[in-house]
Amino acid sequence: MQSLLILNGPNLNLLGTRQPEVYGAGTLEKLERDCIAHAQTQGFEAECVQSNHEGTMLDAIHAARGKHSGIVVNAGAYTHTSIALMDAILSVEIPTVEVHLSNIHARESFRHQSYIARAAIGQICGFGRQGYLMAIDALAVRLSQSGDVT
Ligand code: CA2
């Protein structure tokens, strides 16, 4: 069975604890469970990783090579700063969908810039948790087209 990596970055472990008006009321654990269940409906296994450390996120992306066929990534604030994460995604050549819970383009101007977007096949933002499920669907379509069987 093909596998997806669901990678969440800094502070997303706090989901459900504060700022529910921006990021929703559900926890990260629930989000990860929902992603795993939705991936299964599309015929994928899913591995969920969250880290507050850029290097750990880089390691997870490097380790995805040969293991995962697609990546869903919410890099949190590293989205707007990390050339290293962009380079890592480009280097592994795994189709990657960028997700944000909030609509980053309707927020402060420093959130409009995404380094991840330059490496991703697409970006989904502003749809809350549903965006992760939409990203899984988008990868399912892309992978069925590419014939990738990693
Ligand atoms: O909208 C998103 O998903 C973001 O990636 C979330 C990041 C933010 O820096 C990006 O600009 C957009 C922040 C994640 C913080 O998550 C929290 C969750 C609950 C409580 C506090 C923070």
Side-chain angles (χ1 to χ4, degrees):
M1 192 184 262
Q2 292 186 80
S3 177
L4 304 179
L5 172 64
I6 314 293
L7 180 59
N8 281 295
N11 295 312
L12 289 159
N13 56 309
L14 299 177
L15 280 176
T17 66
R18 53 193 77 142
Q19 291 186 262
E21 69 287 357
V22 184
Y23 299 120
T27 63
L28 176 66
E29 194 185 13
K30 168 84 166 58
L31 174 64
E32 291 181 342
R33 274 204 311 270
D34 290 348
C35 285
I36 289 168
H38 190 72
Q40 273 170 1
T41 69
Q42 299 297 315
F44 294 98
E45 291 176 343
E47 178 188 3
C48 298
V49 174
Q50 187 275 330
S51 177
N52 293 319
H53 305 279
E54 189 175 12
T56 305
M57 293 181 70
L58 292 172
D59 290 343
I61 293 166
H62 295 169
R65 196 163 195 174
K67 186 175 174 193
H68 298 294
S69 303
I71 300 175
V72 175
V73 61
N74 182 348
Y78 289 145
T79 301
H80 318 299
T81 62
S82 182
I83 296 169
L85 285 173
M86 175 189 75
D87 284 344
I89 294 165
L90 288 170
S91 74
V92 295
E93 298 180 320
I94 297 172
T96 297
V97 178
E98 175 185 5
V99 172
H100 299 284
L101 294 158
S102 63
N103 180 356
I104 57 173
H105 303 289
R107 300 184 65 191
E108 304 96 323
S109 58
F110 60 80
R111 295 187 204 275
H112 299 174
Q113 151 89 355
S114 168
Y115 286 104
I116 306 299
R118 299 182 70 98
I121 59 172
Q123 181 192 70
I124 297 169
C125 69
F127 294 98
R129 316 175 144 245
Q130 195 196 343
Y132 287 76
L133 311 187
M134 293 162 75
I136 289 168
D137 290 344
L139 281 171
V141 171
R142 176 59 64 99
L143 292 168
S144 72
Q145 290 166 347
S146 70
D148 182 322
V149 290
T150 305

